[in-house]
Amino acid sequence: MGILDGRTAIISGAGTGLGRATAIAFAQEGAHVVLLGRRTIKLEETAALIAQEGIGQSLVLPTDIADPKQVEQAMETIAQNFERIDILINNAASFEPGQVIELTYEEWTRQIAINLTGPFLLTKAVLPLMRQAHYGRIINITSGLAWNGAGGYAAYSAAKAGLESLTRTTADEELDYDILANSYNPGTLRTEMHATGKDPSVVTADLIRLASLPQGGATGTTVVY
């Protein structure tokens, strides 16, 4: 029996990096994991790793989280497969360079859509079921750039700052339903977005802890690895 036994967790960006490591770690703790991402083959690779270890049930749902219709379709499929949604990990991200003076409207809009609008859409989608169950744990993956910015990464920094504000707002609005929302900054990880850093599996213990917080646990906080 794992600490997340029987829980259903949605993980965006589950095809690689931190998303994949989190999906595997959550499955090892007994969770049913829903794998969201834009690249089907990567999601299937994550699902295969979970299946090979015989550690849990996974559902692959290719989804562009910035598209409201695709999010709606994904939620319909999830509802058909699971009675409840307990955990949401907003991990999917786009980390692209661009100074304020040089970013085009399209480049800015694309990064805000993936890094901020997507988490908003998923959060909005899961809240009705979480409210119904009077239980939910939402974890938004953030970055140090949210508070100190970074020259050359204007859109990403702004989106992450907005995501932390969304986290605090959600925590305040959903407290009466035992829905806890927190941000998590894993630091620099070695992923497709970054060639150096920690192995993503190093930080999954923190995410398991946040995903299993007891009633009255921390909410509206930003946890840094």
Side-chain angles (χ1 to χ4, degrees):
M1 297 259 316
I3 195 171
L4 301 177
D5 193 52
R7 299 293 190 191
T8 300
I10 298 175
I11 303 168
S12 69
T16 61
L18 181 58
R20 173 176 289 181
T22 301
I24 293 171
F26 277 28
Q28 289 172 333
E29 291 295 334
H32 308 305
V33 291
V34 179
L35 312 176
L36 302 185
R38 288 179 292 177
R39 292 180 292 175
T40 303
I41 189 169
K42 292 296 184 180
L43 297 176
E44 290 177 341
E45 288 173 358
T46 301
L49 290 170
I50 292 171
Q52 286 172 10
E53 295 191 29
I55 53 177
Q57 179 182 358
S58 64
L59 175 64
V60 170
L61 290 179
T63 305
D64 180 350
I65 63 166
D67 184 332
K69 291 184 178 179
Q70 291 192 39
V71 170
E72 182 179 348
Q73 292 170 352
M75 291 304 302
E76 290 176 356
T77 302
I78 294 168
Q80 292 169 2
N81 285 268
F82 303 103
E83 294 182 357
R84 54 188 287 163
I85 298 169
D86 302 289
I87 303 161
L88 170 63
I89 310 293
N90 279 312
N91 165 73
S94 173
F95 184 65
E96 299 176 11
Q99 296 181 1
V100 173
I101 196 171
E102 67 186 14
L103 276 172
T104 66
Y105 171 80
E106 289 74 20
E107 290 168 340
W108 170 272
T109 301
R110 183 176 64 252
Q111 288 205 59
I112 296 298
I114 296 171
N115 295 320
L116 181 56
T117 303
F120 160 74
L121 291 174
L122 284 174
T123 300
K124 180 178 174 63
V126 302
L127 283 178
L129 282 175
M130 288 184 172
R131 281 189 171 194
Q132 183 178 333
H134 275 261
Y135 183 90
R137 302 292 180 264
I138 299 171
I139 305 170
N140 295 323
I141 304 302
T142 186
S143 162
L145 275 63
W147 60 269
N148 65 1
Y153 289 91
Y156 181 83
S157 300
K160 288 301 185 181
L163 183 61
E164 290 193 8
S165 181
L166 176 64
T167 304
R168 293 188 293 270
T169 299
T170 304
D172 185 55
E173 293 176 348
E174 303 302 323
L175 187 59
D176 290 343
Y177 297 93
D178 190 24
I179 298 172
L180 309 180
N182 292 286
S183 299
Y184 181 71
N185 176 4
T188 303
L189 300 178
R190 188 169 64 255
T191 67
E192 286 187 344
M193 294 194 304
H194 205 282
T196 61
K198 304 181 292 291
D199 187 282
S201 62
V202 171
V203 306
T204 56
D206 284 345
L207 295 175
I208 291 170
R209 180 181 62 79
L210 289 171
S212 59
L213 286 171
Q215 184 175 13
T219 191
T221 70
T222 298
V223 177
V224 180
Y225 174 80

